[in-house]
């Protein structure tokens, strides 16, 4: 079972769904977060991260972007799309090209913490739908 510490991170020795040590590999996924997504790359190489909570709150790491709230329907659609992608079965790492974006996903499905990466040009169809919803949420 994954139990976050007081700061929302993971305690040493906790395990991800694939059995690897969560404290050494994953960023601090806030307690009530449904999904955290980072987008890195592009020609100018930029990185942006958003965190989407179960209550619909969307927080960006960009201080110029204000928090926003997704509708209950949008959260349900995002959650069901996330489940359809089977995140704990997707590869943790993905090969990228210099001008593409790499999306890193971190999520909790029940008690399991799942992490996977996709590249824009070779994402599976179910993940493309998830990417579209995440972009609409503010990434």
């Amino acid at each position: 079972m994954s139990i976050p510490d007081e700061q929302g991170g993971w305690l040493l020795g906790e395990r991800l769904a694939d059995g690897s040590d969560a404290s050494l590999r994953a960023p601090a996924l806030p307690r009530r977060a449904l999904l955290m997504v980072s987008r890195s790359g592009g020609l100018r190489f930029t990185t942006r991260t958003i965190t989407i909570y179960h209550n619909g709150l969307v927080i960006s790491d960009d201080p110029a972007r204000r928090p926003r709230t997704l509708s209950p329907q949008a959260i349900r659609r995002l959650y069901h799309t996330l489940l359809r992608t089977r995140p704990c079965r997707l590869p943790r790492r993905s090969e990228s090209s210099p001008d593409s974006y790499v999306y890193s996903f971190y999520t909790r499905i029940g008690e399991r913490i799942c992490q996977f990466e996709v590249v824009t040009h070779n994402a599976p169809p179910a993940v493309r739908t998830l990417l579209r919803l995440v972009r609409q949420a503010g990434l």
Side-chain angles (χ1 to χ4, degrees):
M1 182 174 166
S2 298
I3 301 172
D5 65 10
E6 301 302 317
Q7 289 77 37
W10 292 308
L11 300 175
L12 191 62
E14 289 185 278
R15 300 283 171 205
L16 290 170
D18 66 358
S20 60
D21 188 352
S23 62
L24 300 176
R25 296 184 169 202
L29 183 65
R31 251 178 230 217
R32 291 178 173 54
L34 169 64
L35 181 67
M36 183 171 21
V37 184
S38 293
R39 181 184 74 184
S40 301
L43 291 174
R44 294 184 297 160
F45 194 85
T46 57
T47 299
R48 188 178 334 166
T49 301
I50 64 167
T51 304
I52 303 172
Y53 292 85
H54 284 279
N55 65 359
L57 183 65
V58 179
I59 306 230
S60 174
D61 66 342
D62 181 358
R65 299 189 78 164
R66 298 180 65 182
R68 57 180 292 207
T69 304
L70 299 177
S71 70
Q73 296 84 7
I75 284 294
R76 274 195 299 278
R77 189 171 38 246
L78 180 68
Y79 184 72
H80 290 295
T81 303
L82 179 62
L83 289 178
R84 278 194 300 272
T85 63
R86 299 178 150 200
C88 294
R89 295 183 181 193
L90 291 170
R92 289 177 54 98
R93 297 283 174 223
S94 186
E95 295 296 320
S96 64
S97 63
D99 61 344
S100 64
Y101 285 107
V102 175
Y103 290 85
S104 299
F105 290 80
Y106 306 91
T107 187
R108 270 191 202 91
I109 303 295
E111 294 181 3
R112 298 173 74 183
I113 300 167
C114 303
Q115 172 188 358
F116 67 96
E117 282 186 356
V118 294
V119 180
T120 49
H121 67 272
N122 67 357
V127 176
R128 277 187 239 143
T129 304
L130 182 62
L131 280 172
R132 182 178 49 79
L133 293 173
V134 167
R135 284 188 203 122
Q136 288 173 355
L139 186 61

